[in-house]
């Protein structure tokens, strides 16, 4: 059996708990969101999580569980609470599994609007020059064997990328597109909420510009050629249509 483990996140159904755990520096941006849109931020994130739950439940030969409940030696598919896997992702990993390998990865697929001009130029450079990605592991394009020391690789795709690069002889690359990283309008990266110490409230004009681009994103997504994504793209399109000013 292969296990899907969702990284810990907030309880989006509990508004009081959400505000209690939110860093003070993030509050102004969330307040701007709530004044701007008809769906509060915590509820929007809950809706994203529910779409992801439907997706994860459809993955064949995989069980969704907590990291602590996975036995040592088992294969784990890490994922954030708004990202998706192909129905046959676990089967692809199972087919590729060999005792010599502790990690498996495949090419990332991103569903996103560029964060800013610098990110847009980075994506264009990668497309034109085919430069390698900054991180070989993203939120959910890898699988790993659970060991007593491997939890940091589950929690952080950056730590996983470092380990994969340091141990190439223990990593196997799998062909195919077995996941989508769904970086939504509400993601911490999109709203510039990654580091509390460097956080500034998002400008309303910036938020609205991103909102318009995200409305378009799910109507004409770059990953639409992946047939397994169609139900989830439709759900995202419906959610963005529901999100209004």
């Amino acid at each position: 059996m292969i296990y899907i483990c969702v990284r810990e996140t907030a309880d989006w159904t509990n508004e009081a708990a959400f505000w209690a755990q939110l860093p003070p520096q993030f509050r102004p941006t969330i307040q701007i969101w709530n004044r701007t849109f008809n769906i509060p931020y915590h509820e929007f994130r809950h809706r994203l999580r529910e779409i992801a739950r439907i997706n994860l439940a459809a993955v064949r030969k995989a069980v969704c569980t907590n990291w602590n409940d996975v036995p040592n030696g088992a294969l784990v598919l890490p994922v954030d609470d708004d990202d998706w896997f192909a129905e046959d992702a676990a089967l692809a990993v199972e087919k590729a599994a060999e005792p010599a390998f502790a990690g498996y990865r495949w090419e990332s697929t991103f569903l996103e609007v560029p964060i800013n001009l610098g990110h847009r130029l980075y994506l264009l450079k990668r497309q034109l020059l085919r430069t390698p990605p900054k991180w070989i592991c993203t939120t959910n394009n890898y699988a790993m064997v659970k060991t007593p020391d491997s939890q940091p690789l589950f929690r952080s795709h950056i730590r996983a990328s470092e380990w994969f690069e340091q141990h190439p002889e223990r990593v196997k690359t799998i062909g195919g597109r077995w996941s989508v990283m769904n970086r939504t309008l509400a993601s911490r990266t999109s709203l510039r909420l990654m580091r509390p110490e460097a956080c500034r409230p998002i400008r309303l004009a910036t938020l609205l510009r991103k909102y318009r681009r995200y409305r378009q994103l799910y109507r004409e997504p770059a990953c639409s050629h992946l047939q397994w994504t169609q139900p989830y793209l439709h759900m995202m399109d419906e959610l963005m249509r529901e999100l209004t000013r």
Side-chain angles (χ1 to χ4, degrees):
M1 185 61 64
I2 293 177
Y3 297 86
I4 296 173
C5 292
V6 180
R7 298 181 183 93
E8 292 181 8
T9 187
D11 179 1
W12 304 117
T13 63
N14 188 329
E15 183 177 6
F18 162 70
W19 284 106
Q21 60 84 43
L22 190 69
Q25 298 93 325
F26 292 175
R27 286 177 172 264
T29 291
I30 304 306
Q31 289 167 342
I32 291 172
W33 173 293
N34 288 350
R35 290 196 301 266
T36 303
F37 300 124
N38 62 326
I39 302 177
Y41 180 83
H42 72 281
E43 183 179 332
F44 187 85
R45 288 297 303 257
H46 170 65
R47 298 276 295 275
L48 295 175
R49 179 69 177 94
E50 289 305 299
I51 293 171
R53 283 184 193 275
I54 295 170
N55 167 261
L56 299 182
V59 179
R60 300 185 180 96
K61 293 205 71 174
V63 172
C64 293
T65 190
N66 295 321
W67 172 262
N68 292 335
D69 294 332
V70 176
N72 285 326
L75 279 164
V76 176
L77 292 168
V79 64
D80 284 350
D81 73 346
D82 51 4
D83 294 331
W84 313 331
F85 285 120
E87 292 178 353
D88 291 335
L91 292 171
V93 173
E94 180 184 59
K95 183 178 180 180
E98 297 181 54
F101 300 106
Y104 304 84
R105 60 174 296 271
W106 52 90
E107 189 171 354
S108 295
T109 301
F110 298 92
L111 187 57
E112 62 182 345
V113 166
I115 302 164
N116 50 36
L117 178 59
H119 187 217
R120 185 182 296 275
L121 293 175
Y122 164 77
L123 295 177
L124 182 61
K125 179 181 177 182
R126 283 207 59 207
Q127 180 181 3
L128 294 178
L129 303 180
R130 301 192 179 279
T131 57
K134 182 177 181 180
W135 307 113
I136 62 172
C137 294
T138 52
T139 62
N140 65 332
N141 76 318
Y142 67 101
M144 50 182 284
V145 175
K146 181 181 177 180
T147 70
D149 302 319
S150 63
Q151 189 172 19
L153 311 189
F154 158 67
R155 291 187 177 277
S156 169
H157 73 89
I158 295 175
R159 294 290 298 274
S161 292
E162 294 169 346
W163 191 92
F164 277 44
E165 290 178 333
Q166 292 164 3
H167 302 86
E169 75 286 353
R170 302 197 63 196
V171 176
K172 186 174 184 178
T173 300
I174 303 173
R177 301 271 185 154
W178 304 107
S179 60
V180 164
M181 192 192 80
N182 182 27
R183 178 178 283 155
T184 71
L185 176 64
S187 76
R188 291 177 61 181
T189 304
S190 296
L191 296 179
R192 303 175 183 173
L193 300 180
M194 293 305 295
R195 294 183 300 158
E197 69 277 7
C199 179
R200 292 183 298 174
I202 193 169
R203 295 175 60 245
L204 177 58
T206 301
L207 179 61
L208 293 177
R209 182 173 65 251
K210 288 176 178 282
Y211 163 71
R212 290 189 292 269
R213 290 175 178 172
Y214 269 102
R215 286 285 297 263
Q216 188 65 27
L217 175 70
Y218 298 104
R219 297 172 189 170
E220 301 175 1
C223 65
S224 59
H225 63 287
L226 300 175
Q227 289 300 312
W228 65 266
T229 65
Q230 293 301 320
Y232 316 110
L233 294 172
H234 177 71
M235 294 178 201
M236 284 301 308
D237 184 38
E238 289 295 313
L239 179 57
M240 289 305 300
R241 289 174 185 270
E242 188 176 338
L243 183 70
T244 58
R245 295 181 57 188

